[in-house]
Amino acid sequence: MADYNFQEIEKKWQQYWRDQKVYEVPNESDKPKYYVLDMFPYPSGAGLHVGHPLGYIASDIVSRFKRLNGFNVLHPMGFDSFGLPAEQYAIQTGQHPAITTDENIARYKEQLMALGFSYDWSRELRTSDPKFYKWTQWIFKLIYNSWYNNDTDKAEHIDTLVAKLEKEGNKNINAACDADTPIISADEWNGYSEKEQQLFLLKYRLTYQAETTVNWCPALGTVLSNDEVKDGFSERGGHPVIKKKMPQWSMRITAYADRLLSGLDKIDWPEPIKEMQRNWIGKSYGAEIDFDIDGHDEKIRVFTTRIDTIFGVSFMVLAPESELVPTITTDEQKQAVVEYVEVAKNRSERERMSDAKNVTGVFTGSYAIHPFSGDKIPVYIADYVLAGYGTGAVMAVPSGDQRDFDFAKKFDLPIPIINDAQVLTETEADPTKEGKIINSDFLNGLSPANAIERGIQEVEKRGIGVRKVNYKLRDAIFGRQRYWGEPIPVYYEDEIPKLVPDEELPLNLPKVDEYLPTEDGDPPLGRAKDWSHNGQPYELSTMPGWAGSSWYFFRYMDAHNDGEFCSKKARDYWKDVDFYMGGSEHATGHLLYSRFWTKFLYDLGIIEVDEFAKKLINQGMIQGRSNFVYRFIPDAISYPSEWGNKEKPEKVVEIYISKEFYDAFDDNGIFKAGNSLKAEFINQINRVTKELKDIGIRIAPVDLNREYLVQKLHVDVSIVKDDELIISEFTRGKKDSIVKFVLSDSYKCGWEVEKMSKSKFNVVNPDDLVSKYGADTLRMYEMFLGPIEQSKPWNTNGIEGVYKFLRKFWSLFHEEDTFKVSDEQPTKDELKVLHGTIKKVSEDVDRLSLNTSVSTFMIAVNELSSLKCNKRAILEPMTVILSPFAPHIAEELWHKLGNQTSVVDASYPKFEEQYLVEDSIEYPVSVNGKMRAKISFPADASKEEVEAGALANETIQKWMDGKDPRKVIVVPKKIVNIVV
RNA sequence: GCGGAUGUGGCGAAAUUGGUAGACGCACUAGACUUAGGAUCUAGCGCCGCGAGGCAUGGGGGUUCGAGUCCCUCCAUCCGCACCA
């Protein structure tokens, strides 16, 4: 058979594609546009593993397919190159993160190139490139200079706010702003100093500065995120972490909460992602109600979604941080309350969460007045009430809320029943929304749903509360006390932030001598020399990782424009992403922030779309598939003398046993009593013992009533093939042991699904597979693995099948070693195979069922192979439809077929129905639902003809045992079903 | 606890609208060609049964002439959120 030399082929065509700039696309074209985007990677030091390319391969197939179908396809790639690992490496080694990043990118690019992706590399971008982050800073400025007008429901320039303030103060302004914003008049505003005005505007700006509590680790000299803190200590190094209030840059994403929610309805994204975003935004409808406090002028304002349960309120709970706490605490309770608040303050989020089952709280000594019943109800503080959500206070309904119930039980408070469907146990509340309200005055007899509506109307009527919508979404903290990120384009004049002028952008990341915070606890940028704007100090924190990735998709449209973030012409042409491929782990991060920025840019009229990606597909995560060997250490009682003395032999005897044998041992290494494998095991061990004896080693007879050292060990997956251990390579790495297997000819490893990681020896590197089987095989195999959206363990077993397919395809074009195709007319059978394949593959790619497309190709090639078809009229279109999957082999054969241009410029063949029509159709005929026979009918037979024919059929009649058929069901083209 | 997803041979999986369940591939078995086979080709391959046949899509129930697919219910696994009032 002619040789399919993938190494030569792939190298040749990758070079050709680069030289001929085959994948560069213009920003104008008569063709319709199609924008296929991958989530760009963070270039980590480890390089790509086989999980990364899964999505890239699928999106590459889509973009090649679209291109063959006449679209002008934008398919770019770049790097999310600001990030923590490069900075941590810099702290350890002193190497500038830019150098580390460049090296990693070079490796990534090499790996990506080797897989033959059709990226337009001329548009490559990196978020850490000043030419790129110039525009990230520019967008930051736009957001800073904006406020959110709830009346127009969009962001507006801050000047429109200033104009209103000057004219009539802020009493008529309905805006997204800080909760503590006071109402001021125009006179007050106009009387403010410049500094006062600027400070006031910060309450409205969509990027603002505010005091925020952060986790500060003095030993590491840095801020840590919540997940980097464990039980009050840093995860890395175990240093203590304290809470510290710091001025922090934040973005007012909450202004967009509602639009981020409603926008989900018009984009074609996976439902789980939408659901995660909905949960994250967490919109809930309810009411805020004021409770008077006995003996105080202040009121406790609570938020509730279940006002129907208001007559079930038997106490109130405030968050320990609540401002009301000092005011309403009585002298008798003061000490207990202060102690509790102090403890709560020092508890980390994590402690608080892990301790959720332990109900704690303290009575304040004060009582609230129930707004309807007038009852006095005690007010407690407890840390199960969060200061950050709603009003930081709750009306506790123990019969309907589990947490309130637990609290009531602990503090022996009443648990009034307010619903006739409620069934309480000793330990459980019942939050039912069924039944009718009882014991509730004017709500009695209503369903909970109606009672909620009635309740809200009543509180509004009485002026003690308002209808209210609440969100879980919090504003996004934007500043990071890190070096390797975009500098925030701000300097301070008299402690007021000022924006760096556009013409001075980019504000380049300065050089520093070390990447650690300063002694004063300032971020690393505090080490930079002359880090000031004409003597006014620049901001020291940098932007978070999500800044650059929140708009990069627009930059690809016009990646090298120095005058604009992206030209209007390019934006108008490419508009938005048609197909976005990436992991679901970004559901509430990147994917939400990007939608936020897109909507913002839309409000300012800068772009035409308010959602950046029409369609999103999540590729599944590839997990590792670890292999194991099972080791049994027998007692050696004598060794050859050259091994040294008995106490300290130079070598160890290791016997590898099968997984079944391993499983027969318990955790202590004792053979489970009564296991049926016992005799077999002894037998196998005896055989090994004999072998050992031949080389001068004696081991004690195995006594299965005692304990042995039996271990399950990871074995490197690269020396395992189809779960079978390559024994020669395994023993080569075991120089200090005598290695024996209970079955000497082959050894089957066990396997488990785990995370892919070096320590588990289960990382599979695409480079190894590319050099062994070629990129085309790897591409097709990754698609063949299963549905693209499904997570699955990586398993190299079976890659041979795909490899065999490509070789078979290749051999269709070759006779002996020479390329040979025939110009004869194809037969009907051959045409049928071709057109059936075109039809099926096009449909499959359209619905992204790429695993079945690969199967379709395999079937087609098997059929063509058995038809001995080598006809150009069949093979040429087959080459074209295969090219999105296996571009290198397709390019090679396409050129051998005599074509001068790249196969990507071919047009996708159309299938013709005429070749797919069958002469006759075989109808399976069933009687009473059980299949009995297949009867052939002409393809154009009508339903009636089929029925009549089936009934007339002698065989059927015989089966009916003389009974008359009552009903015959004909399902088009499928089944004739006869019911007796 | 809440939300979402998924359960089909030894394994990865297919079955687009309710219509011959297990396509295709791996592994396995037998055979052919070979000095050889880690190459290639042919055949077999869900389970039980010698067979006819019976049983099979996580378990149980239902709708239907007919259910992997639709409905109810229970179970298992994975993912996300998690004291959100």
Side-chain angles (χ1 to χ4, degrees):
Chain A
M1 197 226 271
D3 216 20
Y4 161 45
N5 186 344
F6 59 84
Q7 268 152 352
E8 192 185 296
I9 292 169
E10 293 182 356
K11 216 173 128 197
K12 176 164 92 189
W13 295 110
Q14 283 166 15
Q15 191 61 47
Y16 169 88
W17 294 331
R18 262 197 299 270
D19 293 347
Q20 304 292 313
K21 304 187 189 315
V22 164
Y23 300 125
E24 291 187 18
V25 284
N27 272 355
E28 51 189 326
S29 166
D30 297 336
K31 296 177 183 173
K33 71 100 186 182
Y34 200 80
Y35 185 177
V36 179
L37 182 65
D38 292 298
M39 288 184 190
F40 61 168
Y42 172 77
S44 84
L48 292 175
H49 65 65
V50 287
H52 293 112
L54 188 75
Y56 302 155
I57 295 167
S59 62
D60 195 55
I61 289 169
V62 170
S63 65
R64 286 172 180 274
F65 179 80
K66 283 288 174 185
R67 180 159 173 180
L68 290 170
N69 279 290
F71 289 84
N72 187 33
V73 178
L74 175 57
H75 188 213
M77 181 45 83
F79 299 94
D80 190 13
S81 47
F82 273 132
L84 232 61
E87 182 164 352
Q88 295 295 69
Y89 188 72
I91 291 170
Q92 286 160 25
T93 63
Q95 172 161 287
H96 195 285
I99 296 172
T100 315
T101 302
D102 278 355
E103 287 170 1
N104 291 346
I105 288 177
R107 175 152 157 70
Y108 265 66
K109 273 184 83 165
E110 205 178 295
Q111 287 184 300
L112 291 170
M113 297 266 193
L115 286 168
F117 293 127
S118 61
Y119 295 129
D120 179 352
W121 282 110
S122 75
R123 294 171 187 258
E124 178 193 342
L125 56 82
R126 303 171 183 201
T127 53
S128 61
D129 181 350
K131 287 185 171 170
F132 179 87
Y133 68 66
K134 171 180 179 175
W135 300 105
T136 312
Q137 293 170 334
W138 177 76
I139 294 171
F140 173 92
K141 289 182 59 184
L142 292 179
I143 301 176
Y144 180 84
N145 268 335
S146 301
W147 65 292
Y148 199 87
N149 186 342
N150 284 333
D151 288 336
T152 55
D153 205 15
K154 61 177 203 173
E156 291 179 14
H157 194 276
I158 199 78
D159 289 349
T160 66
L161 176 71
V162 172
K164 281 176 197 275
L165 288 169
E166 282 170 355
K167 226 170 103 194
E168 48 178 29
N170 66 356
K171 67 176 189 296
N172 291 325
I173 291 173
N174 181 10
C177 61
D178 289 0
D180 61 358
T181 308
I183 302 291
I184 61 166
S185 67
D187 287 345
E188 282 175 282
W189 168 262
N190 291 324
Y192 277 178
S193 68
E194 162 72 14
K195 182 171 175 177
E196 284 167 331
Q197 286 187 343
Q198 286 304 322
L199 286 173
F200 191 80
L201 287 179
L202 277 177
K203 295 177 183 299
Y204 285 88
R205 291 182 190 273
L206 287 181
T207 300
Y208 62 96
Q209 244 183 343
E211 288 276 319
T212 314
T213 310
V214 295
N215 301 307
W216 178 260
C217 178
L220 291 174
T222 182
V223 166
L224 296 173
S225 60
N226 280 342
D227 58 305
E228 290 169 327
V229 184
K230 276 209 155 62
D231 301 328
F233 293 91
S234 69
E235 198 175 24
R236 193 185 293 254
H239 305 291
V241 174
I242 57 167
K243 296 231 169 197
K244 186 175 164 184
K245 278 214 160 187
M246 291 177 64
Q248 280 285 339
W249 285 99
S250 294
M251 286 212 175
R252 218 177 287 280
I253 188 173
T254 48
Y256 284 87
D258 217 32
R259 283 168 66 192
L260 288 169
L261 196 61
S262 60
L264 290 172
D265 294 338
K266 59 178 185 189
I267 46 180
D268 180 12
W269 285 21
E271 203 48 47
I273 293 283
K274 291 189 182 181
E275 205 50 42
M276 272 191 246
Q277 294 206 347
R278 285 188 197 111
N279 277 336
W280 191 257
I281 295 166
K283 185 175 189 174
S284 50
Y285 300 88
E288 282 189 354
I289 309 164
D290 286 327
F291 282 64
D292 289 327
I293 309 168
D294 199 23
H296 293 270
D297 291 339
E298 286 86 358
K299 294 170 193 292
I300 299 175
R301 172 159 276 226
V302 298
F303 173 73
T304 180
T305 55
R306 292 296 303 272
I307 199 166
D308 58 313
T309 64
I310 191 154
F311 285 93
V313 175
S314 61
F315 59 102
M316 309 283 291
V317 190
L318 301 179
E321 297 88 341
S322 169
E323 289 169 9
L324 282 173
V325 172
T327 326
I328 67 167
T329 302
T330 58
D331 290 341
E332 302 85 76
Q333 292 302 106
K334 193 158 200 156
Q335 194 187 341
V337 166
V338 168
E339 274 171 21
Y340 186 80
V341 169
E342 198 52 39
V343 170
K345 202 189 276 176
N346 292 324
R347 283 226 288 180
S348 67
E349 285 296 305
R350 206 160 273 266
E351 281 177 296
R352 204 161 149 162
M353 281 193 293
S354 64
D355 205 20
K357 281 171 211 87
N358 264 335
V359 185
T360 61
V362 179
F363 182 41
T364 60
S366 285
Y367 291 83
I369 308 292
H370 192 287
F372 294 121
S373 70
D375 291 346
K376 276 171 71 169
I377 48 180
V379 180
Y380 283 75
I381 61 170
D383 67 2
Y384 80 83
V385 175
L386 304 176
Y389 180 76
T391 60
V394 300
M395 54 175 229
V397 183
S399 65
D401 184 289
Q402 191 59 43
R403 295 153 301 166
D404 296 344
F405 181 91
D406 294 341
F407 196 88
K409 280 280 175 195
K410 167 130 185 184
F411 292 92
D412 206 19
L413 294 156
I415 304 177
I417 302 287
I418 33 75
N419 185 309
D420 67 359
Q422 272 181 326
V423 182
L424 305 190
T425 69
E426 258 316 292
T427 53
E428 273 176 62
D430 183 0
T432 182
K433 282 197 168 185
E434 307 293 311
K436 297 266 180 279
I437 302 295
I438 52 171
N439 302 330
S440 299
D441 193 7
F442 63 93
L443 295 177
N444 281 339
L446 295 173
S447 68
N450 290 339
I452 288 172
E453 193 48 41
R454 176 79 178 81
I456 293 174
Q457 284 168 10
E458 190 64 25
V459 294
E460 288 200 317
K461 198 175 99 193
R462 298 195 190 187
I464 53 170
V466 288
R467 191 181 296 275
K468 175 83 182 179
V469 172
N470 243 316
Y471 297 93
K472 283 197 266 183
L473 186 69
R474 298 274 83 95
D475 279 342
I477 296 192
F478 196 73
R480 293 293 128 93
Q481 288 62 51
R482 289 279 173 179
Y483 174 74
W484 192 229
E486 301 88 345
I488 291 178
V490 161
Y491 61 91
Y492 292 91
E493 201 176 294
D494 189 22
E495 291 175 357
I496 297 298
K498 298 265 165 157
L499 293 174
V500 173
D502 279 356
E503 56 277 15
E504 290 173 32
L505 296 183
L507 175 60
N508 282 310
L509 196 56
K511 283 204 167 57
V512 293
D513 52 358
E514 248 193 302
Y515 303 95
L516 286 171
T518 66
E519 278 75 34
D520 305 338
D522 279 337
L525 290 191
R527 295 175 177 274
K529 286 198 182 75
D530 302 325
W531 185 236
S532 71
H533 182 266
N534 305 325
Q536 317 276 14
Y538 280 127
E539 168 64 43
L540 297 180
S541 39
T542 52
M543 300 190 197
W546 53 268
S549 61
S550 294
W551 73 279
Y552 77 110
F553 33 85
F554 292 121
R555 185 63 177 173
Y556 281 132
M557 296 174 183
D558 192 11
H560 304 295
N561 193 330
D562 283 334
E564 276 178 280
F565 86 110
C566 171
S567 73
K568 175 143 176 51
K569 204 181 104 192
R571 298 191 306 258
D572 287 350
Y573 179 69
W574 294 110
K575 291 193 178 70
D576 56 5
V577 176
D578 293 278
F579 185 99
Y580 196 24
M581 173 69 83
S584 59
E585 66 272 22
H586 299 109
T588 51
H590 158 63
L591 288 172
L592 198 60
Y593 297 128
S594 298
R595 293 184 59 224
F596 162 40
W597 281 30
T598 303
K599 287 183 189 301
F600 169 78
L601 292 171
Y602 170 81
D603 285 352
L604 264 54
I606 291 172
I607 53 174
E608 268 184 55
V609 293
D610 76 336
E611 290 289 349
F612 75 98
K614 286 203 211 46
K615 185 180 177 71
L616 172 74
I617 298 291
N618 293 126
Q619 86 273 27
M621 280 254 287
I622 297 284
Q623 295 135 294
R625 189 178 188 277
S626 309
N627 277 113
F628 296 95
V629 291
Y630 306 92
R631 183 166 73 177
F632 174 85
I633 309 268
D635 298 324
I637 52 176
S638 88
Y639 305 95
S641 52
E642 63 268 25
W643 282 18
N645 63 41
K646 186 172 178 259
E647 281 67 41
K648 221 182 154 197
E650 283 177 8
K651 296 191 180 190
V652 188
V653 176
E654 303 177 351
I655 300 177
Y656 287 90
I657 60 178
S658 70
K659 181 172 190 304
E660 284 151 326
F661 287 148
Y662 171 80
D663 289 339
F665 284 89
D666 66 15
D667 293 345
N668 297 320
I670 298 173
F671 206 82
K672 289 174 193 158
N675 194 299
S676 58
L677 292 167
K678 196 164 180 166
E680 176 68 12
F681 183 69
I682 297 279
N683 206 1
Q684 302 282 356
I685 291 287
N686 285 344
R687 197 190 54 75
V688 176
T689 309
K690 221 172 136 205
E691 276 181 36
L692 288 166
K693 205 170 164 188
D694 293 344
I695 53 169
I697 305 163
R698 286 182 55 223
I699 63 170
V702 172
D703 170 10
L704 287 185
N705 294 316
R706 50 154 285 199
E707 204 176 288
Y708 278 94
L709 184 58
V710 186
Q711 296 161 302
K712 177 172 84 173
L713 304 167
H714 278 98
V715 59
D716 197 315
V717 291
S718 65
I719 61 164
V720 176
K721 201 187 156 213
D722 294 340
D723 287 338
E724 197 167 295
L725 187 67
I726 303 170
I727 290 177
S728 57
E729 296 199 26
F730 180 70
T731 47
R732 194 183 310 145
K734 290 248 171 204
K735 293 216 164 54
D736 297 330
S737 314
I738 294 293
V739 173
K740 285 286 169 189
F741 296 87
V742 287
L743 287 174
S744 51
D745 48 342
S746 73
Y747 185 85
K748 200 88 177 163
C749 297
W751 61 272
E752 271 171 38
V753 174
E754 299 179 294
K755 225 191 180 104
M756 237 188 223
S757 93
K758 266 187 182 164
S759 63
K760 299 190 170 80
F761 300 104
N762 62 2
V763 176
V764 183
N765 184 303
D767 305 2
D768 296 344
L769 293 169
V770 167
S771 62
K772 205 161 161 194
Y773 298 101
D776 286 340
T777 300
L778 180 61
R779 288 170 62 110
M780 292 199 85
Y781 181 60
E782 290 219 14
M783 294 303 99
F784 184 66
L785 226 41
I788 191 78
E789 304 199 56
Q790 197 172 298
S791 286
K792 57 211 151 221
W794 175 260
N795 186 351
T796 315
N797 302 357
I799 194 169
E800 301 270 356
V802 173
Y803 184 51
K804 240 185 265 181
F805 153 76
L806 284 175
R807 286 200 314 228
K808 215 168 190 176
F809 185 67
W810 176 265
S811 70
L812 288 175
F813 295 76
H814 293 83
E815 209 165 87
E816 297 299 320
D817 274 339
T818 47
F819 180 81
K820 190 157 182 262
V821 293
S822 141
D823 286 321
E824 275 176 65
Q825 288 302 304
T827 66
K828 186 129 196 244
D829 279 347
E830 290 165 344
L831 286 165
K832 202 172 134 186
V833 173
L834 172 66
H835 290 271
T837 308
I838 297 170
K839 181 168 195 277
K840 184 99 186 12
V841 170
S842 324
E843 285 168 0
D844 285 349
V845 174
D846 264 342
R847 66 192 174 97
L848 224 63
S849 177
L850 302 176
N851 52 333
T852 54
S853 324
V854 177
S855 294
T856 305
F857 279 121
M858 289 182 173
I859 297 167
V861 166
N862 279 338
E863 282 172 1
L864 292 177
S865 183
S866 60
L867 290 168
K868 303 212 179 336
C869 171
N870 69 339
K871 293 173 186 158
R872 175 186 298 273
I874 301 295
L875 296 182
E876 192 162 302
M878 282 292 289
T879 304
V880 176
I881 62 173
L882 183 66
S883 68
F885 293 82
H888 308 85
I889 191 174
E891 191 81 271
E892 170 79 11
L893 294 170
W894 180 251
H895 282 261
K896 280 195 171 171
L897 284 161
N899 296 289
Q900 299 304 309
T901 55
S902 169
V903 68
V904 298
D905 292 321
S907 44
Y908 203 84
K910 300 272 174 285
F911 66 88
E912 287 173 40
E913 206 67 62
Q914 52 171 316
Y915 298 117
L916 300 176
V917 176
E918 306 277 348
D919 294 336
S920 67
I921 296 177
E922 219 171 40
Y923 285 89
V925 174
S926 68
V927 178
N928 284 347
K930 303 214 167 150
M931 222 261 298
R932 298 286 177 161
K934 288 180 182 173
I935 306 173
S936 276
F937 294 97
D940 54 356
S942 70
K943 179 179 166 176
E944 289 70 26
E945 285 170 316
V946 173
E947 277 180 14
L951 288 174
N953 190 287
E954 246 180 85
T955 329
I956 298 288
Q957 291 295 346
K958 212 157 68 189
W959 281 332
M960 287 178 184
D961 297 333
K963 291 176 203 162
D964 289 329
R966 283 195 297 252
K967 193 157 111 195
V968 176
I969 297 169
V970 179
V971 178
K973 283 193 184 170
K974 287 284 181 182
I975 286 183
V976 183
N977 201 336
I978 300 169
V979 184
V980 184

